[in-house]
Amino acid sequence: MSDKTIEFIEKGRRLDGRKLDELRPIKIEVGVLKRANGSCYMESGGNKVMAAVYGPREVHPRRMEDATKAIVRCRYNMASFSVEDRKRPGPDRRSVEISKVSREAIEPIIIKEHFPRSAIDIFIEILQADAGTRTAGINAASVALADAGIPMRGLVSACATGKVGGHIVLDLMKEEDNYGEADVPIAMDVQNDKVTLLQMDGRLTQDEFKQALELARKGCKEIYEMQRQALIAKYTV
Ligand code: UDP
C-alpha cells in the first residue's frame, strides 16, 4: 500500500484507459482439454487461466469418502513462468489459501448429494498472472464444472473490487492491486444472489464497502452472462 495511487486515476480513467466500473476484456473457451471431464480456458485482461474438472470419480484415498455426498477438492497452482519474477514451483501458503477459498466459493453451487462416495476434483492452473487470478480461476472452474455435466444450482461468477486513488474501482489490474488502498475479491452465485467468497486486503469505510459490494455485483452479473454465453455457444448445435 502506498500513496502513489493518486496518479492511478486521471479524468475518470485508469492506467489502461478503463472507466472505474469497467471489467478488463474477457475471453472464455469451453471444453479445451481432451482428458478432463470438463475444462475451460479463460483470459481476463492479462490473466490466462486453465481449469480442469475430473469426476465424479472414485475417491482416493478411500478414507476421504462421504457416504452421503461427493467430496469436492480444488487445487490452485500458479506456474513458475506466470509472473514477472519466477515463482518457486509447488505449493506455498498463498496457493494453499487460494485453493481453500476457491473450493469454498464453488462448493455451494454443486449438488453433491447426487454423487455419494465420489470425488469431484478441480484443478486451476494460472499460466499468466496480472492480479485477480483467484477470481479468474473461480470463473473458469465454474464453467469447467458445467462442461463436465456436474449438476449445479447455478454458476459462480467472481471479480475483485477495491479502492485506488480514493476511488472504488472494479477488477483491479496488477499496478492497482499492488499500490491501491484496498483489494476485495468477491464470488457470487448470481442467480440466487448469494456471496460465496469475500476477502479484503486493505481498508474501506462502511459506505465504501457497500459501494464496492454493489460494483462487484454488477461485475459478477456481466461475467455470469459471458459464462452463460460461452456454454450456450459450445452446446448449441
Ligand atoms: N503475484 C506475483 N508473484 C506471486 C504472487 C502474486 O507476481 O508469487 C502477482 C500476480 O500477478 C497476482 C498478483 O500479484 O495476480 C496479485 O496477487 P494476489 O495474492 O492478490 O492474488 P490474485 O489477485 O491474483 O487473486
Side-chain angles (χ1 to χ4, degrees):
M1 304 290 150
S2 96
D3 54 5
K4 268 192 196 178
T5 48
I6 306 304
E7 60 211 65
F8 277 80
I9 291 166
E10 248 180 81
K11 294 184 187 146
R13 295 277 173 176
R14 293 149 76 179
L15 275 184
D16 57 3
R18 273 186 297 156
K19 292 186 215 145
L20 304 187
D21 64 348
E22 206 175 326
L23 291 168
R24 289 173 287 183
I26 290 178
K27 182 178 146 190
I28 305 175
E29 262 183 74
V30 186
V32 286
L33 298 175
K34 198 168 84 179
R35 291 186 191 91
N37 295 103
S39 58
C40 173
Y41 170 72
M42 181 162 174
E43 290 181 8
S44 158
N47 294 309
K48 298 189 177 186
V49 176
M50 184 71 83
V53 168
Y54 297 83
R57 63 182 179 180
E58 263 185 30
V59 183
H60 294 291
R62 269 271 153 80
R63 65 185 149 76
M64 287 181 78
E65 268 186 7
D66 185 328
T68 61
K69 57 184 184 295
I71 59 161
V72 177
R73 298 181 288 204
C74 179
R75 194 193 73 181
Y76 164 102
N77 179 54
M78 194 172 229
S80 51
F81 52 79
S82 67
V83 287
E84 228 163 73
D85 300 321
R86 178 180 178 276
K87 187 204 158 281
R88 199 164 168 222
D92 52 17
R93 278 178 62 170
R94 178 178 174 275
S95 67
V96 170
E97 175 218 321
I98 298 181
S99 298
K100 177 182 183 284
V101 298
S102 299
R103 176 178 55 73
E104 288 171 350
I106 296 163
E107 214 174 340
I109 57 156
I110 301 175
I111 307 178
K112 296 181 290 185
E113 296 71 27
H114 284 200
F115 305 105
R117 295 188 192 286
S118 57
I120 297 168
D121 291 313
I122 304 167
F123 296 89
I124 297 169
E125 294 289 329
I126 308 301
L127 307 175
Q128 187 174 290
D130 189 32
T133 59
R134 77 192 66 200
T135 50
I138 290 167
N139 290 329
S142 171
V143 172
L145 279 164
D147 182 44
I150 309 273
M152 297 195 288
R153 298 182 175 87
L155 284 170
V156 171
S157 311
C159 61
T161 54
K163 188 175 166 190
V164 180
H167 296 269
I168 301 299
V169 301
L170 182 62
D171 189 18
L172 279 67
M173 60 176 159
K174 184 79 176 9
E175 294 78 357
E176 295 173 333
D177 184 300
N178 284 4
Y179 303 113
E181 294 101 289
D183 174 23
V184 188
I186 292 178
M188 291 185 67
D189 168 356
V190 167
Q191 283 159 293
N192 298 301
D193 200 30
K194 282 195 179 138
V195 173
T196 62
L197 166 84
L198 175 58
Q199 296 185 287
M200 182 153 83
D201 183 11
R203 284 185 182 194
L204 294 177
T205 65
Q206 240 180 39
D207 277 351
E208 285 169 343
F209 178 75
K210 279 185 192 154
Q211 214 186 317
L213 191 59
E214 267 325 296
L215 198 51
R217 189 174 268 129
K218 169 191 174 300
C220 287
K221 277 186 185 157
E222 289 175 21
I223 292 165
Y224 166 74
E225 202 42 51
M226 287 183 250
Q227 291 169 306
R228 212 172 72 87
Q229 288 308 329
L231 285 162
I232 290 173
K234 165 86 179 173
Y235 287 105
T236 312
V237 271

